[in-house]
Amino acid sequence: MTINQPILHSLYETITSVAKEAAVAAGAVARKGFIEASPETLQTEQKAGFFDIVTACDKAAERAACDIIWSRLPQSRILGEESGWQGEGETTWIIDPIDGTSNFASGLPFFCVSIAAYYAGEPVCGIVYDPMREELFMASDGRLMLNGDVVSPFARANSDRHVELLSNAPYEGERPDLAALEAYADLVTSFRAVRRLGSCALHLAYVAVGRVAVSYESKFSAWDIAAGVQLVAAASGQIIAQDAKGQRIEANEQALGAVKRLVVAQAGFDYQSSCLSKLMADGRL
Ligand code: IPD
Ligand code: CA
Ligand code: CA
């Protein structure tokens, strides 16, 4: 079915407004859960191991987001971290209800809700919402916004020596081998600082709005990066995504699950001269 431009535009607006509502609803659940946290309310469980946990709040936040989406746009298919795929329809949603659960469960106020929406395979909006700072980062209609204001990031600096790198490497729960340790040594001796903040989606949002010049992530899932790559794209930032074989691929809806390594950087950052580009090209990260 083809759909004419004004109808498509109004559908995109509806999807974006539902996405915002869903992100704020999930964020409210997460914020309340964080402020009122106790062992009884958190009910922390392990997923893949001691380094990968889920709390009752993750599940409740995802339910809150899904309830809004089902009630407003029932013809949706949703991939939620905690519930997997549900529903059918041309609008696809990819949701991480709390990105940064380890921070959340330990009492560190650095976590977010991440929601990306697509229509007929095209990105419609990406939202990363930090309910503790009440910061809503949004990409829609080719624009990057923070709490409704268009953001025009300025370049911090363009080389490793003068910028910070955000990264989740080396990954939790996995003993890095010698090659991975050496790669990490290259990172810490090349960049002014390497920071591991504990939320992949916020790492990407921070690069998009220009708080940090570059981020490198590995061992993530589609819901960790779906909204963040839309934010970086809306900022005209650089997105370097590789599959498991080290081939460069697009981080679009169809290929998100195949992305295994991801560098995002501000537009002006000199990626080719960065130690990251060499490590990525050699498959050493
Ligand atoms: C995790 C965070 C973390 C990253 C992990 C993710 P979760 O997500 O984004 O920074 O290193 O790869 O799984 O479990 O808190 O939603
Ligand atoms: Ca996550
Ligand atoms: Ca999560």
Side-chain angles (χ1 to χ4, degrees):
M1 188 184 78
T2 51
I3 182 162
N4 72 36
Q5 283 306 314
I7 293 180
L8 193 60
H9 187 72
S10 115
L11 183 61
Y12 275 29
E13 281 184 349
T14 304
I15 293 170
T16 302
S17 118
V18 172
K20 258 195 277 185
E21 207 185 326
V24 170
V29 170
R31 183 187 163 93
K32 187 166 188 292
F34 182 83
I35 291 167
E36 296 174 357
S38 72
E40 292 70 37
T41 58
L42 290 175
Q43 296 171 39
T44 306
E45 294 166 48
Q46 292 185 10
K47 295 207 283 186
F50 69 92
F51 53 88
D52 181 21
I53 56 168
V54 61
T55 70
C57 302
D58 295 71
K59 296 173 191 171
E62 185 161 308
R63 270 196 306 275
C66 291
D67 285 351
I68 303 254
I69 294 168
W70 295 130
S71 70
R72 308 281 193 277
L73 289 165
Q75 288 183 327
S76 287
R77 56 199 285 269
I78 305 180
L79 173 61
E81 178 178 8
E82 311 308 341
S83 339
W85 281 106
Q86 301 176 75
E88 288 295 330
E90 287 235 88
T91 310
T92 301
W93 304 80
I94 301 185
I95 301 178
D96 190 336
I98 300 181
D99 184 58
T101 298
S102 187
N103 285 350
F104 174 86
S106 76
L108 280 170
F110 195 82
F111 54 86
C112 65
V113 180
S114 171
I115 299 185
Y118 307 82
Y119 183 77
E122 294 300 320
V124 177
C125 65
I127 294 180
V128 170
Y129 177 51
D130 173 346
M132 303 311 290
R133 286 166 199 76
E134 297 191 39
E135 290 189 322
L136 190 139
F137 305 89
M138 182 166 87
S140 87
D141 214 8
R143 289 180 308 165
L144 173 66
M145 280 164 284
L146 173 53
N147 290 343
D149 295 326
V150 173
V151 181
S152 309
F154 70 90
R156 294 281 161 183
N158 62 8
S159 62
D160 295 2
R161 282 275 178 271
H162 302 108
V163 303
E164 301 212 333
L165 169 72
L166 299 180
S167 181
N168 70 348
Y171 189 66
E172 292 90 354
E174 198 175 272
R175 191 178 174 82
D177 60 18
L178 199 55
L181 279 177
E182 282 177 353
Y184 193 65
D186 284 354
L187 296 180
V188 294
T189 50
S190 298
F191 285 90
R192 187 175 70 196
V194 179
R195 302 278 183 249
R196 181 191 178 91
L197 305 184
S199 164
C200 175
L202 279 172
H203 281 184
L204 304 187
Y206 277 23
V207 173
V209 299
R211 290 180 182 169
V212 178
V214 57
S215 145
Y216 164 74
E217 310 290 324
S218 67
K219 301 275 171 91
F220 44 74
S221 300
W223 45 78
D224 297 310
I225 61 167
V229 293
Q230 287 199 39
L231 297 175
V232 176
S236 303
Q238 306 175 65
I239 299 171
I240 298 104
Q242 283 185 353
D243 66 10
K245 292 181 179 155
Q247 296 300 313
R248 184 111 180 234
I249 55 174
E250 291 295 312
N252 55 25
E253 187 207 336
Q254 296 72 22
L256 271 186
V259 178
K260 298 299 170 202
R261 288 180 204 86
L262 178 71
V263 173
V264 298
Q266 285 198 282
F269 180 72
D270 185 1
Y271 174 69
Q272 292 313 324
S273 307
S274 167
C275 92
L276 268 175
S277 105
K278 295 176 192 69
L279 292 171
M280 291 279 278
D282 299 348
R284 290 202 287 133
L285 269 177

